[in-house]
Amino acid sequence: MQADVQKNLADFIANCRDELIVGRLIEDMKYRVIDWLGCAAVGARYPQCDIARRTFTHFGGVEEAVVIGASGRYPAPAAAMVNGIIGHVSELDDGHRKAIGHPGSVTLPVALALGESLNVSGSAFLKALVVGYDVYIRLGQTVNPSHYAYWHTTGTCGTFAAAATAASLMRLTAEQARNALGIAATMASGLVASFGSHAKALNVGHACQSGVYAALLAKEGFTGSPQALAGDKGFVKATSDYESLKYLECLTEEGLLSDTAFYKVYASCGHTNSPLDAVFGLMNAHTLDVKKIARIHVATYRISVSLTAPLKVNNEDEAKFSLPYCIAVALIFGRVSLAEFQPQALGNPDVLALAKKVEVVESEEATARFPKRQAEVTIVMEDGKTYRHRVMDATDVANFAMLEQKFLHSAQGVDRQASEAVLAFIKAMDKSADIAPLTEYLRKI
């Protein structure tokens, strides 16, 4: 292992200047801010978010930042924690296929909390997000796919991304940033075993909070091991069967933000996307009588099978990780939206009957091609007629116009005029002296 990786990454975080970031990354990042706000507008009303709000606002503290859904202002680490949970819980947040996780969910809450408390400019806010995304994508690609066998990448690598975002906003020196990464390494956590429970979103909120704490401690002179990230007993070696450090070693000005990054198309786990793409491909090509389907066979990569193969409908969290359920609602309703995961929908007898006809198995070819998300869906009718469609990778296509509509739809419970105003602000926020309109919008969610 090379101990200098942590130093080089810290130098990158501390020395990244606005003029080094290509314009298309800034424009892209504006829409990631917009997309996250929509996710937060949906997630704010989940019961687990009420629990988090009560728990993390109970002790009060210095008034620094907005906690969505709570009156007043709270310490930045608490705001980052609660808003991190809120932004992720609906499973609508953006992600990255190769890094396997959700960089927006661990950078936006940090940037909002610290951006408000430090009164940063719009350009500083966007730069910190670009840096945080970049760190997440580099580290996630380094440790995966082996890391994801046990570790929830958004919680683990997300802690480093959160620390990088915080370090950028706080203008830490390279040495302080190096310590922040070292501290983050010993705080990083989050298990795949938590999927299907409230604790999955807690992995994300905890990463946000830990990243803020790591940067705050480092600023005050607290040290972290310079080998904690890539040393012989460091994070990378301890949590993965990594093949190379190339993503951490080759630091470029342009970064990796646009490298296969995507936005959620379905309101379910990202590992359901390829099979669902195949199902919708079949539906677009053929007229299928759902009542006459005899069986559905899905062959996809191992991680998807291990996480999503069973039929699980005890609650929304479980159903979003159940391919049989997701495929059944896709075929019956022609969509996989939040409405299909509400409590009243989970017991639909027609959906459950069709879901029981779905078999999900591993394809060795698909597993070998991962992180490309290959899937093949075969639908056999009662008369023996067979329909088959193969997807070699999830598309996750969404353009900026679609993302604006997604945001306005997700925020339909918020004042429409306020939503349109914040949308206009974000599009030009790199010219703004502060982010006050953005944080004020959080109060309206």
Side-chain angles (χ1 to χ4, degrees), residues 6 52 150 156 176 206 213 215 261-262 283 293 345 424:
Q6 189 170 323
Y150 300 100
T156 53
Q176 290 170 332
H206 181 256
Y213 278 137
F262 64 95
M283 293 170 69
I293 292 176

Side-chain angles (χ1 to χ4, degrees), residues 47-57 81-82 85-86:
Q48 55 266 51
C49 297
D50 289 333
I51 296 170
R53 264 189 295 268
R54 291 197 304 270
T55 301
F56 290 100
T57 63
M81 163 66 91
V82 179
I85 292 172
I86 289 171

Side-chain angles (χ1 to χ4, degrees), residues 37 106 115 121 123 130 132 134 142 153 175 207-208 216 245 260 266 274 279 282 293 300 342 357 375 397 402 416 437:
L37 280 181
V106 287
S121 68
S123 61
V130 171
D134 202 72
T142 298
T153 316
E175 182 61 26
C208 295
L216 289 171
L245 296 176
T260 66
Y266 310 114
S274 295
V279 169
L282 286 171
I293 292 176
T300 189
Q342 298 310 301
K357 299 179 180 180
V397 175
M402 290 170 61
R416 175 78 179 207

Side-chain angles (χ1 to χ4, degrees), residues 298-367:
V298 180
T300 189
Y301 55 96
R302 183 181 303 153
I303 289 176
S304 179
V305 175
S306 65
L307 290 177
T308 70
L311 174 59
K312 300 172 289 185
V313 291
N314 288 320
N315 53 57
E316 177 179 346
D317 296 305
E318 283 192 357
K320 287 180 174 180
F321 281 80
S322 177
L323 252 179
Y325 180 80
C326 293
I327 287 174
V329 298
L331 286 164
I332 290 175
F333 299 111
R335 62 180 185 267
V336 184
S337 68
L338 286 172
E340 283 68 64
F341 296 98
Q342 298 310 301
Q344 62 272 22
L346 297 178
N348 185 307
D350 294 332
V351 171
L352 295 179
L354 183 58
K356 289 175 182 177
K357 299 179 180 180
V358 178
E359 177 189 27
V360 183
V361 301
E362 181 185 357
S363 158
E364 292 184 1
E365 178 189 348
T367 297

Side-chain angles (χ1 to χ4, degrees), residues 146-395:
S146 61
H147 182 82
Y148 199 62
Y150 300 100
W151 299 103
H152 183 192
T153 316
T154 314
T156 53
C157 297
T159 305
F160 294 90
T165 302
S168 177
L169 287 168
M170 294 169 62
R171 299 182 179 179
L172 298 192
T173 66
E175 182 61 26
Q176 290 170 332
R178 187 180 188 185
N179 280 321
L181 292 173
I183 296 166
T186 206
M187 301 176 81
S189 63
L191 294 172
V192 169
S194 296
F195 289 10
S197 74
H198 292 172
K200 179 177 187 281
L202 180 64
N203 290 344
V204 178
H206 181 256
C208 295
Q209 182 186 59
S210 296
V212 174
Y213 278 137
L216 289 171
L217 286 166
K219 184 177 182 180
E220 294 300 317
F222 206 91
T223 63
S225 167
Q227 288 82 39
L229 176 59
D232 287 338
K233 295 184 181 298
F235 173 84
V236 171
K237 190 168 185 179
T239 65
S240 72
D241 298 326
Y242 74 99
E243 295 181 356
S244 150
L245 296 176
K246 66 179 182 179
Y247 293 112
L248 295 174
E249 292 173 332
C250 301
L251 302 179
T252 64
E253 293 175 358
E254 182 171 320
L256 297 174
L257 174 62
S258 61
D259 176 24
T260 66
F262 64 95
Y263 299 86
K264 274 287 183 73
V265 177
Y266 310 114
S268 54
C269 168
H271 296 294
T272 67
N273 284 23
S274 295
L276 288 173
D277 284 348
V279 169
F280 282 105
L282 286 171
M283 293 170 69
N284 289 334
H286 308 282
T287 300
L288 301 173
D289 187 341
V290 174
K291 294 181 180 179
K292 295 183 179 180
I293 292 176
R295 63 182 184 276
I296 302 167
H297 183 270
V298 180
T300 189
Y301 55 96
R302 183 181 303 153
I303 289 176
S304 179
V305 175
S306 65
L307 290 177
T308 70
L311 174 59
K312 300 172 289 185
V313 291
N314 288 320
N315 53 57
E316 177 179 346
D317 296 305
E318 283 192 357
K320 287 180 174 180
F321 281 80
S322 177
L323 252 179
Y325 180 80
C326 293
I327 287 174
V329 298
L331 286 164
I332 290 175
F333 299 111
R335 62 180 185 267
V336 184
S337 68
L338 286 172
E340 283 68 64
F341 296 98
Q342 298 310 301
Q344 62 272 22
L346 297 178
N348 185 307
D350 294 332
V351 171
L352 295 179
L354 183 58
K356 289 175 182 177
K357 299 179 180 180
V358 178
E359 177 189 27
V360 183
V361 301
E362 181 185 357
S363 158
E364 292 184 1
E365 178 189 348
T367 297
R369 294 186 71 247
F370 188 79
K372 291 186 181 298
R373 301 191 176 195
Q374 177 179 325
E376 183 175 88
V377 172
T378 304
I379 296 179
V380 180
M381 308 303 291
E382 290 176 351
D383 62 4
K385 193 168 185 177
T386 300
Y387 302 94
R388 182 176 290 109
H389 189 76
R390 173 181 281 197
V391 170
M392 300 308 289
D393 198 3
T395 54

